[in-house]
Amino acid sequence: MTLLNALSTVFIGDAQADRVVPPTGFTARLTLFVAGTMAFLAVFALALSLASGRLAKRWGDELAQSSTLRISAPAGQMDAQTEAALALLQGTPGVASARALSNEEQRALLAPWFGPDLPVDTLPIPQLIEILETDDGYDAAGLRLRLQAEVPGAVLDDHTRWRKPLERAAGRLRMLGWVAILLIGATTAAMITLAANAALAANAQVIAVLRLIGARDSYIARAFVRRFTLRALIGAATGTVLGVGAVLLLPAAQPEGGFLTGLGFAGGGWLLPLLVPPLAAIVAYAATGAAARRTLAELA
């Protein structure tokens, strides 16, 4: 019997067999609570994992095709070295454009640390040149050698030291998100197994009577599997709805917010939480089935 056919029997049911499992009680509340809570956490773990992937791509794209050239020189030589650097960059293969930042732009960059009234004109602040690369990029090592020979006061920063750690951090966050989802699934299976074992043990006398009148273990097991699978499905659906609602309350992606914004779903990612309730039902089906077979064998 395939998994799809097996799960279809869960929704058909048997009114007589359903009476074997108590419809209310501790095990019912425990199953609903565990499935709902784990589904809620799974939605957040999934959102974190997907958002980390988007952050890694965004950080890589923003820094991959841009570089900064910093020129430190005496005031009398600053303009000459800036012009020499711009001329060198314009003739470098792989450089799409290069421009020197104005005093206003440099003041805006330093404003978060020194305030908006920083006297850029009177301070020995290096001249910054923004470099935009083509898709093929340029030879950073070769460019550094040419700058060392022609513009001794220039220092090239190709953002590699910034980009790689950021991408690694985002990648590890993404991995942790998927690990959290796996742990949530394992915890759900363990808790539902405990609840099923408790229900089977509580109904040991009923099971013994059913065996005396000819009921097979497979018939009894299906009753427990169906009840616990439906409980897990209902609980997970409720938890998923609450989780998606909570994710909607998170702030949307904003450039000034950095990585603290845009942690929800995006585009087709909003459809992925719909997989959480069916997966919870599958986990409950497998866990309860294994628990029922083991317990019924012990009660034999």
Side-chain angles (χ1 to χ4, degrees):
M1 181 183 293
T2 65
L3 179 61
L4 184 61
N5 292 334
L7 288 175
S8 65
T9 61
V10 171
F11 299 96
I12 297 173
D14 186 327
Q16 298 298 324
D18 285 349
R19 296 177 182 176
V20 176
V21 185
T24 60
F26 171 75
T27 58
R29 293 191 296 271
L30 177 62
T31 305
L32 288 170
F33 176 77
V34 168
T37 302
M38 293 304 169
F40 185 88
L41 296 177
V43 170
F44 270 94
L46 187 60
L48 173 63
S49 180
L50 295 177
S52 299
R54 292 197 305 273
L55 285 173
K57 185 178 186 304
R58 187 177 72 188
W59 289 340
D61 292 345
E62 288 178 353
L63 297 176
Q65 293 186 322
S66 66
S67 305
T68 303
L69 186 65
R70 185 177 72 252
I71 300 177
S72 300
Q77 302 178 16
M78 183 67 75
D79 292 341
Q81 291 205 25
T82 300
E83 292 177 3
L86 289 172
L88 187 152
L89 291 170
Q90 290 171 0
T92 300
V95 175
S97 64
R99 69 177 187 89
L101 299 185
S102 65
N103 288 340
E104 291 73 17
E105 289 175 313
Q106 296 195 144
R107 184 182 293 110
L109 290 175
L110 297 173
W113 290 272
F114 301 101
D117 300 325
L118 182 69
V120 177
D121 299 334
T122 60
L123 294 176
I125 295 176
Q127 175 64 55
L128 300 180
I129 296 178
E130 180 187 43
I131 304 171
L132 297 181
E133 308 172 25
T134 62
D135 293 337
D136 296 331
Y138 61 84
D139 180 9
L143 180 57
R144 284 191 175 93
L145 291 176
R146 294 176 61 193
L147 287 169
Q148 185 177 1
E150 301 183 31
V151 190
V155 177
L156 177 65
D157 183 2
D158 60 0
H159 298 166
T160 300
R161 60 173 178 161
W162 305 104
R163 185 176 71 252
K164 297 301 182 183
L166 289 175
E167 290 179 343
R168 284 198 299 268
R172 288 173 182 174
L173 281 174
R174 186 177 186 179
M175 181 185 67
L176 286 174
W178 288 111
V179 170
I181 292 174
L182 293 177
L183 291 176
I184 288 170
T187 303
T188 302
M191 294 301 294
I192 291 177
T193 299
L194 291 175
N197 285 334
L200 287 161
N203 288 272
Q205 294 182 350
V206 176
I207 292 172
V209 172
L210 289 173
R211 283 173 167 169
L212 288 175
I213 61 176
R216 296 183 177 181
D217 285 352
S218 59
Y219 174 84
I220 301 171
R222 276 200 305 272
F224 283 90
V225 169
R226 178 176 184 272
R227 181 63 61 83
F228 279 88
T229 301
L230 290 177
R231 288 172 182 170
L233 181 62
I234 294 171
T238 304
T240 299
V241 171
L242 295 176
V244 171
V247 170
L248 285 171
L249 298 177
L250 295 176
Q254 300 173 2
E256 61 273 15
F259 67 92
L260 295 177
T261 61
L263 295 179
F265 298 101
W270 285 103
L271 298 176
L272 291 178
L274 298 177
L275 299 176
V276 173
L279 290 176
I282 292 174
V283 170
Y285 180 89
T288 309
R293 289 191 295 270
R294 182 175 59 254
T295 304
L296 289 173
E298 293 174 356
L299 294 176

